[in-house]
Amino acid sequence: MEAIVFYPSPPIGHLISMVELGKLILTLQPSLSIHILITPPPYNAGDTAPYIAQVSAAFPSITFHHLPTAALPPSTTPPTHHEILTFEVLRFNNPNVHHALLSISKNYTVLGLIMDFFCFHALSVATDLNIPAYFFFTSGAGCLALFLYFTTLHENTTTSFKDIKTTPFDVPGTPPVLPTDMPKPLLERDDKVYEYFLEGSYQMPKSAGIIVNTFDFLEPRPLKAITDGLCVLNGPTPPIYCVGPLFVAKDDGGGVSECLTWLDSQPSRSVVFLCFGSLGLFSVDQLEEIATGLERSGQRFLWVVRNPPGRENQSVAISERPDLDLDSILPKGFLDRTKERGLVVKTWAPQVEVLNHDSVGGFVTHCGWNSVLEAVCAGVPMVAWPLYAEQRFNRVMMVEEIKIALPMVESENGFMSSTEVEKRVRELMDSEEGGSIRKITVAMKNEAKAALREGGSSRVALTELFMSWNRT
Ligand code: UDP
């Protein structure tokens, strides 16, 4: 029997993405066996047990293998950053991965190992065992172009990107990127996390292929730049398989039906939805600016609000956190004054259902790639307010390249004024420019559907991926 082995990094979001890819592969080849390696997380990365139990029950072809805790050498200095810790744990996980692959190989022909970017150290294990290794890149093709071109940018300068400040970089296939729009780990040359990302960028092109959660029509320019070989330094570019959009929506409980019922009572396309991913948090001051901006905009809104940083233990599952007191963190009287046209929900909303509700006409997003794809698939135009990871770069792609979002522009210290919130929300919901990005987003929605249909680009890419296993 034939098997594909998946190797996600520990956070639950990465696991969910891999499982979705596994399910997609099974639609094409139901006789395959999917094996997922689970690495014990070095920090609280979300409780994966209920999710694993649910997937195991629903999909008998998917098997989970729990690896032992990786033995870090005693000399390893405690990392300062959770991303470094992730890289370290995965680096020293290689013997466990080796052992798991060998044991799976006893009963199956392993056609390929699919890993996420953080797991790049396992490339050598796959090579040793003669198993073709693939990367699954969970952000877009623009971001992949940047990651692949990172090695060139690195070799062309001796300065940390953070010190370059105003000169934009020319990354093939993307609009000029200001150093401030680069993902944070790429900014400081002397940082350990920079070293790991750089090494990953050198390793990715050595794989048998890169699977990307995007579709051809959404990002043609960066895709062409990558496949034309403009992004990889000194070597061939592996095959690129754009199989998206893949859906990774996770249900974390919270006021599910309340907001959908409220949306039922609102006019068509009248509501702007504000939601900032699984980790987005704001200070009380920033929440106040958002509230004031929303109130002044005069628009209808559905806003997901979380406790400001430091107010609660973020490592506790969202559904188990103590109830949030909205009156204590929002401006006095705000909820009462806006109750006819606004709803604030605590902590979590069923984003995919909300975006697909007929009353929703706009989305203020933190630019997490899954949120971007979910909005595209619902045909909902966006205002881009990036917060962490590669989201500032995503804003550049969404605003300047794909033209499916208006930018929210922060002050130098990262603060967003109520005036900016008011202006952008109004522009999105009630302006010619808002209308034109809506048209593009709706066109993208139709293209996303077409890509996933039989004969569509993503379906063809999936078939090609499958064929590559039989060739190698
Ligand atoms: N999400 C949700 N409700 C929320 C916040 C987030 O359903 O209140 C989901 C959202 O639909 C998306 C995921 O969580 O599927 C967030 O992924 P994304 O890549 O956008 O951002 P991240 O959380 O990884 O920064």
Side-chain angles (χ1 to χ4, degrees):
M1 226 177 134
E2 293 176 328
I4 301 290
V5 180
F6 285 82
Y7 181 27
S9 64
I12 186 163
H14 293 243
L15 170 64
I16 294 175
S17 298
M18 288 272 180
V19 169
E20 289 308 316
L21 180 61
K23 289 186 202 165
L24 188 68
I25 289 170
L26 284 175
T27 61
L28 202 67
Q29 192 62 24
S31 64
L32 271 179
S33 180
I34 303 278
H35 296 258
I36 303 185
L37 309 184
I38 302 293
T39 305
Y43 44 79
N44 189 327
D47 184 8
T48 52
Y51 176 73
I52 289 177
Q54 183 199 328
V55 175
S56 306
F59 295 88
S61 313
I62 302 182
T63 308
F64 294 88
H65 298 256
H66 293 269
L67 304 183
T69 303
L72 266 62
S75 59
T76 314
T77 41
T80 47
H81 201 285
H82 80 274
E83 276 166 339
I84 305 179
L85 188 55
T86 306
F87 279 123
E88 302 263 279
V89 164
L90 293 168
R91 175 178 163 201
F92 293 107
N93 214 16
N94 270 2
N96 299 327
V97 176
H98 189 271
H99 185 261
L101 284 171
L102 274 185
S103 101
I104 296 169
S105 303
K106 279 186 194 142
N107 298 315
Y108 298 90
T109 306
V110 179
L111 299 177
L113 172 70
I114 301 180
M115 57 197 161
D116 77 39
F117 179 81
F118 283 86
C119 305
F120 68 83
H121 286 105
L123 198 63
S124 59
V125 179
T127 309
D128 285 351
L129 296 174
N130 217 6
I131 296 172
Y134 297 78
F135 280 94
F136 178 37
F137 197 76
T138 49
S139 196
C143 191
L144 176 62
L146 171 68
F147 270 49
L148 291 173
Y149 198 65
F150 175 35
T151 52
T152 307
L153 292 173
H154 171 81
E155 295 199 9
N156 285 347
T157 177
T158 51
T159 314
S160 282
F161 300 146
K162 76 169 187 349
D163 298 323
I164 299 176
K165 293 215 165 70
T166 52
T167 319
F169 298 115
D170 286 318
V171 175
T174 76
V177 190
L178 282 170
T180 44
D181 287 330
M182 292 284 243
K184 255 211 188 103
L186 312 193
L187 291 180
E188 174 58 68
R189 225 174 156 86
D190 297 327
D191 209 322
K192 187 82 190 154
V193 76
Y194 180 99
E195 248 177 64
Y196 274 126
F197 271 91
L198 184 66
E199 206 184 330
S201 298
Y202 277 115
Q203 294 300 325
M204 246 194 316
K206 297 180 187 161
S207 63
I210 305 174
I211 305 161
V212 195
N213 188 11
T214 191
F215 56 101
D216 290 2
F217 198 87
L218 189 69
E219 303 179 89
R221 248 179 19 105
L223 273 172
K224 177 158 179 1
I226 297 169
T227 49
D228 282 353
L230 302 181
C231 298
V232 174
L233 181 70
N234 300 334
T237 302
I240 305 293
Y241 303 99
C242 296
V243 300
L246 275 170
F247 296 103
V248 303
K250 39 189 182 281
D251 176 14
D252 219 327
V256 171
S257 55
E258 184 200 6
C259 56
L260 295 175
T261 312
W262 180 80
L263 281 172
D264 287 342
S265 65
Q266 302 302 310
S268 181
R269 282 209 218 136
S270 67
V271 175
V272 60
F273 176 50
L274 297 91
C275 187
F276 301 90
S278 50
L279 300 172
L281 298 178
F282 295 112
S283 65
V284 173
D285 287 351
Q286 184 63 84
L287 288 172
E288 197 169 316
E289 292 295 309
I290 301 174
T292 310
L294 279 178
E295 193 171 348
R296 289 207 204 118
S297 77
Q299 301 296 322
R300 293 173 195 272
F301 64 85
L302 172 61
W303 179 19
V304 182
V305 172
R306 301 219 170 103
N307 250 331
R311 290 267 186 120
E312 68 184 15
N313 184 355
Q314 299 301 324
S315 60
V316 172
I318 283 178
S319 51
E320 283 158 27
R321 288 182 203 166
D323 207 22
L324 166 69
D325 177 14
L326 290 175
D327 283 319
S328 73
I329 55 171
L330 295 176
K332 203 164 185 292
F334 167 78
L335 291 172
D336 202 42
R337 288 193 302 277
T338 57
K339 66 174 187 286
E340 299 304 325
R341 63 180 173 86
L343 179 70
V344 175
V345 295
K346 297 175 186 176
T347 312
W348 194 263
Q351 181 167 297
V352 172
E353 280 105 317
V354 168
L355 287 170
N356 284 288
H357 195 289
D358 175 65
S359 301
V360 172
F363 179 28
V364 179
T365 172
H366 74 312
C367 309
W369 190 247
N370 293 308
S371 294
V372 174
L373 290 180
E374 286 160 12
V376 164
C377 290
V380 176
M382 290 166 272
V383 166
W385 180 345
L387 298 177
Y388 49 90
E390 86 295 12
Q391 294 154 10
R392 293 176 69 96
F393 177 81
N394 288 347
R395 172 171 61 185
V396 176
M397 289 298 295
M398 294 155 71
V399 172
E400 290 169 40
E401 181 70 16
I402 317 176
K403 299 190 169 45
I404 47 175
L406 299 169
M408 190 85 93
V409 183
E410 63 276 41
S411 63
E412 231 171 67
N413 61 6
F415 200 69
M416 210 64 85
S417 69
S418 59
T419 321
E420 179 69 4
V421 174
E422 173 191 352
K423 178 178 149 193
R424 296 303 183 177
V425 164
R426 215 183 256 148
E427 219 179 332
L428 178 71
M429 302 300 285
D430 190 16
S431 80
E432 214 172 286
E433 218 180 338
S436 86
I437 65 159
R438 176 184 313 279
K439 270 195 202 129
I440 298 174
T441 315
V442 170
M444 288 299 170
K445 168 187 171 172
N446 296 330
E447 293 295 339
K449 271 194 199 152
L452 294 174
R453 272 200 291 267
E454 202 59 50
S457 64
S458 296
R459 202 66 196 170
V460 169
L462 189 67
T463 310
E464 283 170 357
L465 173 65
F466 183 73
M467 303 284 281
S468 81
W469 294 326
N470 293 337
R471 272 201 308 269
T472 39

